[in-house]
mmCIF file of all heavy atoms in Angstrom:
data_model
loop_
_atom_site.group_PDB
_atom_site.id
_atom_site.type_symbol
_atom_site.label_atom_id
_atom_site.label_comp_id
_atom_site.label_asym_id
_atom_site.label_seq_id
_atom_site.Cartn_x
_atom_site.Cartn_y
_atom_site.Cartn_z
ATOM 1 N N PHE A 6 30.716 -3.182 -13.181
ATOM 2 C CA PHE A 6 29.403 -3.127 -12.695
ATOM 3 C C PHE A 6 28.673 -4.409 -12.396
ATOM 4 O O PHE A 6 29.044 -5.371 -13.022
ATOM 5 C CB PHE A 6 28.416 -2.302 -13.577
ATOM 6 C CG PHE A 6 28.853 -0.921 -13.747
ATOM 7 C CD1 PHE A 6 29.011 -0.409 -15.050
ATOM 8 C CD2 PHE A 6 29.027 -0.113 -12.807
ATOM 9 C CE1 PHE A 6 29.454 1.017 -15.288
ATOM 10 C CE2 PHE A 6 29.419 1.232 -12.848
ATOM 11 C CZ PHE A 6 29.521 1.688 -14.242
ATOM 12 N N PRO A 7 27.882 -4.518 -11.315
ATOM 13 C CA PRO A 7 27.149 -5.749 -11.216
ATOM 14 C C PRO A 7 26.222 -6.111 -12.417
ATOM 15 O O PRO A 7 25.801 -5.203 -13.055
ATOM 16 C CB PRO A 7 26.344 -5.540 -9.815
ATOM 17 C CG PRO A 7 26.223 -4.047 -9.671
ATOM 18 C CD PRO A 7 27.500 -3.557 -10.494
ATOM 19 N N PRO A 8 25.824 -7.381 -12.460
ATOM 20 C CA PRO A 8 25.042 -7.744 -13.681
ATOM 21 C C PRO A 8 23.576 -7.170 -13.476
ATOM 22 O O PRO A 8 23.089 -7.072 -12.353
ATOM 23 C CB PRO A 8 24.911 -9.321 -13.590
ATOM 24 C CG PRO A 8 25.357 -9.687 -12.186
ATOM 25 C CD PRO A 8 26.221 -8.564 -11.840
ATOM 26 N N ILE A 9 22.934 -6.785 -14.608
ATOM 27 C CA ILE A 9 21.553 -6.484 -14.587
ATOM 28 C C ILE A 9 20.652 -7.547 -14.202
ATOM 29 O O ILE A 9 20.740 -8.666 -14.816
ATOM 30 C CB ILE A 9 21.185 -5.753 -15.866
ATOM 31 C CG1 ILE A 9 21.986 -4.415 -16.128
ATOM 32 C CG2 ILE A 9 19.663 -5.425 -15.938
ATOM 33 C CD1 ILE A 9 21.740 -3.866 -17.458
ATOM 34 N N PRO A 10 19.770 -7.373 -13.255
ATOM 35 C CA PRO A 10 18.874 -8.549 -12.739
ATOM 36 C C PRO A 10 18.121 -9.154 -13.977
ATOM 37 O O PRO A 10 17.621 -8.489 -14.825
ATOM 38 C CB PRO A 10 18.021 -7.912 -11.840
ATOM 39 C CG PRO A 10 18.659 -6.576 -11.316
ATOM 40 C CD PRO A 10 19.464 -6.145 -12.475
ATOM 41 N N LYS A 11 17.915 -10.407 -13.976
ATOM 42 C CA LYS A 11 17.142 -11.183 -14.903
ATOM 43 C C LYS A 11 15.743 -11.406 -14.176
ATOM 44 O O LYS A 11 15.788 -11.954 -13.151
ATOM 45 C CB LYS A 11 17.746 -12.470 -15.301
ATOM 46 C CG LYS A 11 19.007 -12.195 -16.044
ATOM 47 C CD LYS A 11 19.706 -13.528 -16.474
ATOM 48 C CE LYS A 11 21.054 -13.384 -17.145
ATOM 49 N NZ LYS A 11 21.689 -14.741 -17.660
ATOM 50 N N LEU A 12 14.613 -11.075 -14.867
ATOM 51 C CA LEU A 12 13.319 -11.158 -14.317
ATOM 52 C C LEU A 12 13.026 -12.592 -13.807
ATOM 53 O O LEU A 12 12.408 -12.768 -12.791
ATOM 54 C CB LEU A 12 12.324 -10.628 -15.200
ATOM 55 C CG LEU A 12 12.452 -9.232 -15.713
ATOM 56 C CD1 LEU A 12 11.322 -8.900 -16.723
ATOM 57 C CD2 LEU A 12 12.304 -8.257 -14.435
ATOM 58 N N GLY A 13 13.447 -13.431 -14.695
ATOM 59 C CA GLY A 13 13.110 -14.947 -14.423
ATOM 60 C C GLY A 13 13.625 -15.374 -13.057
ATOM 61 O O GLY A 13 13.065 -16.343 -12.369
ATOM 62 N N ASP A 14 14.913 -14.903 -12.570
ATOM 63 C CA ASP A 14 15.478 -15.264 -11.470
ATOM 64 C C ASP A 14 14.645 -14.788 -10.277
ATOM 65 O O ASP A 14 14.910 -15.271 -9.118
ATOM 66 C CB ASP A 14 16.872 -14.625 -11.291
ATOM 67 C CG ASP A 14 17.788 -15.097 -12.451
ATOM 68 O OD1 ASP A 14 17.567 -16.266 -13.044
ATOM 69 O OD2 ASP A 14 18.868 -14.573 -12.673
ATOM 70 N N TYR A 15 13.761 -13.942 -10.341
ATOM 71 C CA TYR A 15 13.020 -13.564 -9.168
ATOM 72 C C TYR A 15 11.567 -13.769 -9.283
ATOM 73 O O TYR A 15 10.640 -13.153 -8.553
ATOM 74 C CB TYR A 15 13.281 -11.967 -9.056
ATOM 75 C CG TYR A 15 14.653 -11.580 -8.775
ATOM 76 C CD1 TYR A 15 15.490 -11.290 -10.011
ATOM 77 C CD2 TYR A 15 15.239 -11.598 -7.649
ATOM 78 C CE1 TYR A 15 16.877 -11.060 -9.829
ATOM 79 C CE2 TYR A 15 16.666 -11.305 -7.372
ATOM 80 C CZ TYR A 15 17.360 -10.934 -8.520
ATOM 81 O OH TYR A 15 18.788 -10.657 -8.387
ATOM 82 N N GLY A 16 11.127 -14.608 -10.275
ATOM 83 C CA GLY A 16 9.649 -14.957 -10.422
ATOM 84 C C GLY A 16 8.812 -13.791 -10.985
ATOM 85 O O GLY A 16 7.724 -13.664 -10.703
ATOM 86 N N ILE A 17 9.491 -12.892 -11.634
ATOM 87 C CA ILE A 17 8.816 -11.870 -12.333
ATOM 88 C C ILE A 17 8.607 -11.896 -13.830
ATOM 89 O O ILE A 17 9.463 -12.387 -14.519
ATOM 90 C CB ILE A 17 9.564 -10.443 -12.040
ATOM 91 C CG1 ILE A 17 9.876 -10.342 -10.627
ATOM 92 C CG2 ILE A 17 8.860 -9.314 -12.707
ATOM 93 C CD1 ILE A 17 10.816 -9.209 -10.273
ATOM 94 N N SER A 18 7.353 -11.745 -14.333
ATOM 95 C CA SER A 18 6.923 -11.913 -15.559
ATOM 96 C C SER A 18 7.324 -10.739 -16.503
ATOM 97 O O SER A 18 6.907 -9.436 -16.102
ATOM 98 C CB SER A 18 5.550 -12.204 -15.790
ATOM 99 O OG SER A 18 5.028 -12.181 -17.141
ATOM 100 N N PRO A 19 7.877 -10.780 -17.662
ATOM 101 C CA PRO A 19 8.147 -9.714 -18.635
ATOM 102 C C PRO A 19 6.785 -9.038 -18.963
ATOM 103 O O PRO A 19 6.744 -7.875 -19.560
ATOM 104 C CB PRO A 19 8.947 -10.173 -19.677
ATOM 105 C CG PRO A 19 8.631 -11.629 -19.753
ATOM 106 C CD PRO A 19 8.295 -12.051 -18.267
ATOM 107 N N THR A 20 5.643 -9.830 -18.995
ATOM 108 C CA THR A 20 4.362 -9.373 -19.447
ATOM 109 C C THR A 20 3.455 -8.933 -18.418
ATOM 110 O O THR A 20 2.529 -8.044 -18.567
ATOM 111 C CB THR A 20 3.730 -10.332 -20.434
ATOM 112 O OG1 THR A 20 3.651 -11.583 -19.724
ATOM 113 C CG2 THR A 20 4.642 -10.606 -21.734
ATOM 114 N N ARG A 21 3.504 -9.691 -17.231
ATOM 115 C CA ARG A 21 2.616 -9.394 -16.074
ATOM 116 C C ARG A 21 3.302 -8.743 -14.939
ATOM 117 O O ARG A 21 2.685 -8.599 -13.939
ATOM 118 C CB ARG A 21 1.970 -10.652 -15.714
ATOM 119 C CG ARG A 21 0.980 -11.261 -16.918
ATOM 120 C CD ARG A 21 0.399 -12.468 -16.392
ATOM 121 N NE ARG A 21 -0.725 -12.827 -17.298
ATOM 122 C CZ ARG A 21 -1.407 -13.960 -17.351
ATOM 123 N NH1 ARG A 21 -1.305 -14.751 -16.333
ATOM 124 N NH2 ARG A 21 -2.281 -14.239 -18.315
ATOM 125 N N GLY A 22 4.599 -8.595 -15.040
ATOM 126 C CA GLY A 22 5.333 -8.040 -13.937
ATOM 127 C C GLY A 22 5.374 -8.679 -12.612
ATOM 128 O O GLY A 22 5.672 -9.972 -12.733
ATOM 129 N N PHE A 23 4.767 -8.122 -11.621
ATOM 130 C CA PHE A 23 4.883 -8.731 -10.202
ATOM 131 C C PHE A 23 3.542 -9.563 -10.140
ATOM 132 O O PHE A 23 3.446 -10.224 -9.100
ATOM 133 C CB PHE A 23 4.930 -7.746 -9.249
ATOM 134 C CG PHE A 23 6.307 -6.921 -9.296
ATOM 135 C CD1 PHE A 23 6.248 -5.545 -9.807
ATOM 136 C CD2 PHE A 23 7.336 -7.495 -8.831
ATOM 137 C CE1 PHE A 23 7.487 -4.911 -9.880
ATOM 138 C CE2 PHE A 23 8.643 -6.874 -8.911
ATOM 139 C CZ PHE A 23 8.708 -5.580 -9.422
ATOM 140 N N LEU A 24 2.671 -9.511 -11.067
ATOM 141 C CA LEU A 24 1.461 -10.563 -10.952
ATOM 142 C C LEU A 24 2.004 -11.857 -11.472
ATOM 143 O O LEU A 24 3.054 -11.986 -12.176
ATOM 144 C CB LEU A 24 0.407 -10.009 -11.995
ATOM 145 C CG LEU A 24 -0.263 -8.698 -11.603
ATOM 146 C CD1 LEU A 24 -1.208 -8.399 -12.629
ATOM 147 C CD2 LEU A 24 -1.170 -8.820 -10.274
ATOM 148 N N PRO A 25 1.497 -12.904 -10.845
ATOM 149 C CA PRO A 25 1.975 -14.255 -11.293
ATOM 150 C C PRO A 25 1.809 -14.584 -12.710
ATOM 151 O O PRO A 25 0.817 -14.284 -13.312
ATOM 152 C CB PRO A 25 1.162 -15.242 -10.271
ATOM 153 C CG PRO A 25 -0.048 -14.519 -9.992
ATOM 154 C CD PRO A 25 0.272 -13.026 -9.951
ATOM 155 N N GLU A 26 2.868 -15.113 -13.329
ATOM 156 C CA GLU A 26 2.708 -15.627 -14.700
ATOM 157 C C GLU A 26 1.614 -16.640 -14.858
ATOM 158 O O GLU A 26 0.849 -16.682 -15.796
ATOM 159 C CB GLU A 26 4.118 -16.308 -15.083
ATOM 160 C CG GLU A 26 4.062 -16.688 -16.589
ATOM 161 C CD GLU A 26 4.020 -15.508 -17.487
ATOM 162 O OE1 GLU A 26 4.702 -14.489 -17.297
ATOM 163 O OE2 GLU A 26 3.417 -15.645 -18.584
ATOM 164 N N THR A 27 1.521 -17.677 -13.887
ATOM 165 C CA THR A 27 0.406 -18.470 -13.870
ATOM 166 C C THR A 27 -0.737 -17.844 -13.048
ATOM 167 O O THR A 27 -0.690 -17.383 -11.983
ATOM 168 C CB THR A 27 0.757 -19.828 -13.212
ATOM 169 O OG1 THR A 27 1.878 -20.375 -13.844
ATOM 170 C CG2 THR A 27 -0.367 -20.971 -13.094
ATOM 171 N N LEU A 28 -1.930 -17.856 -13.651
ATOM 172 C CA LEU A 28 -3.116 -17.225 -13.005
ATOM 173 C C LEU A 28 -3.414 -17.866 -11.600
ATOM 174 O O LEU A 28 -3.136 -19.007 -11.422
ATOM 175 C CB LEU A 28 -4.379 -17.270 -13.844
ATOM 176 C CG LEU A 28 -4.321 -16.338 -15.118
ATOM 177 C CD1 LEU A 28 -5.568 -16.773 -15.941
ATOM 178 C CD2 LEU A 28 -4.340 -14.921 -14.702
ATOM 179 N N PRO A 29 -3.772 -17.016 -10.708
ATOM 180 C CA PRO A 29 -4.100 -17.517 -9.313
ATOM 181 C C PRO A 29 -5.177 -18.570 -9.437
ATOM 182 O O PRO A 29 -6.013 -18.564 -10.164
ATOM 183 C CB PRO A 29 -4.667 -16.276 -8.550
ATOM 184 C CG PRO A 29 -3.927 -15.131 -9.271
ATOM 185 C CD PRO A 29 -3.932 -15.512 -10.670
ATOM 186 N N LEU A 30 -5.082 -19.749 -8.578
ATOM 187 C CA LEU A 30 -5.991 -20.701 -8.579
ATOM 188 C C LEU A 30 -7.341 -20.239 -8.004
ATOM 189 O O LEU A 30 -7.305 -19.465 -7.020
ATOM 190 C CB LEU A 30 -5.509 -21.944 -7.802
ATOM 191 C CG LEU A 30 -4.239 -22.660 -8.289
ATOM 192 C CD1 LEU A 30 -3.863 -23.770 -7.283
ATOM 193 C CD2 LEU A 30 -4.574 -23.352 -9.614
ATOM 194 N N THR A 31 -8.479 -20.594 -8.612
ATOM 195 C CA THR A 31 -9.766 -20.388 -7.967
ATOM 196 C C THR A 31 -10.092 -21.449 -6.785
ATOM 197 O O THR A 31 -11.068 -21.058 -6.142
ATOM 198 C CB THR A 31 -10.915 -20.445 -8.964
ATOM 199 O OG1 THR A 31 -10.907 -21.746 -9.654
ATOM 200 C CG2 THR A 31 -10.533 -19.203 -10.125
ATOM 201 N N ARG A 32 -9.452 -22.408 -6.787
ATOM 202 C CA ARG A 32 -9.613 -23.447 -5.755
ATOM 203 C C ARG A 32 -8.344 -24.335 -5.631
ATOM 204 O O ARG A 32 -7.828 -24.605 -6.607
ATOM 205 C CB ARG A 32 -10.941 -24.313 -6.084
ATOM 206 C CG ARG A 32 -11.370 -25.167 -4.950
ATOM 207 C CD ARG A 32 -12.615 -25.938 -5.308
ATOM 208 N NE ARG A 32 -13.178 -26.807 -4.227
ATOM 209 C CZ ARG A 32 -13.808 -26.219 -3.205
ATOM 210 N NH1 ARG A 32 -14.336 -25.070 -3.303
ATOM 211 N NH2 ARG A 32 -14.252 -27.035 -2.279
ATOM 212 N N LEU A 33 -8.078 -24.828 -4.422
ATOM 213 C CA LEU A 33 -7.123 -25.653 -4.111
ATOM 214 C C LEU A 33 -7.412 -27.137 -4.681
ATOM 215 O O LEU A 33 -8.523 -27.546 -4.380
ATOM 216 C CB LEU A 33 -6.712 -25.846 -2.713
ATOM 217 C CG LEU A 33 -5.978 -24.713 -2.091
ATOM 218 C CD1 LEU A 33 -5.734 -24.801 -0.625
ATOM 219 C CD2 LEU A 33 -4.595 -24.542 -2.694
ATOM 220 N N PRO A 34 -6.580 -27.754 -5.555
ATOM 221 C CA PRO A 34 -7.097 -28.952 -6.039
ATOM 222 C C PRO A 34 -7.133 -30.252 -5.179
ATOM 223 O O PRO A 34 -8.048 -31.095 -5.515
ATOM 224 C CB PRO A 34 -5.930 -29.190 -7.179
ATOM 225 C CG PRO A 34 -4.720 -28.474 -6.660
ATOM 226 C CD PRO A 34 -5.270 -27.356 -5.952
ATOM 227 N N ASP A 35 -6.462 -30.281 -3.992
ATOM 228 C CA ASP A 35 -6.562 -31.354 -3.116
ATOM 229 C C ASP A 35 -7.751 -31.164 -2.257
ATOM 230 O O ASP A 35 -7.933 -30.141 -1.545
ATOM 231 C CB ASP A 35 -5.275 -31.323 -2.217
ATOM 232 C CG ASP A 35 -5.094 -32.586 -1.312
ATOM 233 O OD1 ASP A 35 -6.095 -33.243 -1.161
ATOM 234 O OD2 ASP A 35 -3.836 -32.933 -1.177
ATOM 235 N N PRO A 36 -8.657 -32.241 -2.249
ATOM 236 C CA PRO A 36 -9.774 -32.237 -1.465
ATOM 237 C C PRO A 36 -9.533 -32.008 0.103
ATOM 238 O O PRO A 36 -10.455 -31.637 0.850
ATOM 239 C CB PRO A 36 -10.602 -33.511 -1.785
ATOM 240 C CG PRO A 36 -10.027 -33.925 -2.973
ATOM 241 C CD PRO A 36 -8.659 -33.334 -3.014
ATOM 242 N N TYR A 37 -8.365 -32.407 0.433
ATOM 243 C CA TYR A 37 -8.010 -32.232 1.865
ATOM 244 C C TYR A 37 -8.215 -30.754 2.419
ATOM 245 O O TYR A 37 -8.423 -30.657 3.556
ATOM 246 C CB TYR A 37 -6.464 -32.510 1.970
ATOM 247 C CG TYR A 37 -5.726 -32.470 3.341
ATOM 248 C CD1 TYR A 37 -6.129 -33.315 4.304
ATOM 249 C CD2 TYR A 37 -4.755 -31.399 3.544
ATOM 250 C CE1 TYR A 37 -5.494 -33.082 5.537
ATOM 251 C CE2 TYR A 37 -4.357 -31.242 4.783
ATOM 252 C CZ TYR A 37 -4.590 -32.129 5.752
ATOM 253 O OH TYR A 37 -4.007 -32.108 7.048
ATOM 254 N N TYR A 38 -8.140 -29.824 1.544
ATOM 255 C CA TYR A 38 -8.233 -28.444 1.960
ATOM 256 C C TYR A 38 -9.661 -27.919 1.747
ATOM 257 O O TYR A 38 -9.919 -26.660 1.744
ATOM 258 C CB TYR A 38 -7.302 -27.563 1.169
ATOM 259 C CG TYR A 38 -5.699 -27.919 1.533
ATOM 260 C CD1 TYR A 38 -5.053 -28.601 0.580
ATOM 261 C CD2 TYR A 38 -5.241 -27.716 2.722
ATOM 262 C CE1 TYR A 38 -3.788 -28.956 0.810
ATOM 263 C CE2 TYR A 38 -4.022 -28.103 3.084
ATOM 264 C CZ TYR A 38 -3.148 -28.749 2.071
ATOM 265 O OH TYR A 38 -1.888 -29.004 2.356
ATOM 266 N N ASN A 39 -10.583 -28.878 1.551
ATOM 267 C CA ASN A 39 -12.079 -28.296 1.242
ATOM 268 C C ASN A 39 -12.588 -27.415 2.332
ATOM 269 O O ASN A 39 -13.430 -26.614 2.148
ATOM 270 C CB ASN A 39 -12.923 -29.464 0.910
ATOM 271 C CG ASN A 39 -12.721 -30.105 -0.428
ATOM 272 O OD1 ASN A 39 -12.066 -29.422 -1.261
ATOM 273 N ND2 ASN A 39 -13.396 -31.230 -0.645
ATOM 274 N N LYS A 40 -12.201 -27.671 3.609
ATOM 275 C CA LYS A 40 -12.753 -27.001 4.716
ATOM 276 C C LYS A 40 -12.227 -25.634 4.619
ATOM 277 O O LYS A 40 -13.108 -24.641 4.901
ATOM 278 C CB LYS A 40 -12.335 -27.652 5.970
ATOM 279 C CG LYS A 40 -13.096 -28.913 6.277
ATOM 280 C CD LYS A 40 -12.773 -29.441 7.773
ATOM 281 C CE LYS A 40 -13.632 -30.639 8.195
ATOM 282 N NZ LYS A 40 -13.574 -31.770 7.187
ATOM 283 N N TRP A 41 -10.973 -25.292 4.299
ATOM 284 C CA TRP A 41 -10.661 -23.884 4.139
ATOM 285 C C TRP A 41 -11.405 -23.145 2.996
ATOM 286 O O TRP A 41 -11.841 -22.167 3.086
ATOM 287 C CB TRP A 41 -9.062 -23.908 3.603
ATOM 288 C CG TRP A 41 -8.149 -24.341 4.717
ATOM 289 C CD1 TRP A 41 -8.436 -24.572 6.104
ATOM 290 C CD2 TRP A 41 -6.714 -24.351 4.658
ATOM 291 N NE1 TRP A 41 -7.300 -24.795 6.740
ATOM 292 C CE2 TRP A 41 -6.286 -24.680 5.942
ATOM 293 C CE3 TRP A 41 -5.798 -24.185 3.596
ATOM 294 C CZ2 TRP A 41 -4.887 -24.928 6.102
ATOM 295 C CZ3 TRP A 41 -4.364 -24.474 3.764
ATOM 296 C CH2 TRP A 41 -4.006 -24.757 5.037
#
Side-chain angles (χ1 to χ4, degrees):
F6 294 129
I9 294 175
K11 297 180 180 178
L12 298 180
D14 294 343
Y15 302 92
I17 301 170
S18 166
T20 56
R21 293 183 175 173
F23 298 101
L24 296 172
E26 182 69 38
T27 302
L28 288 172
L30 295 177
T31 58
R32 188 177 184 86
L33 289 172
D35 193 335
Y37 176 70
Y38 299 107
N39 281 352
K40 287 185 171 60
W41 289 356

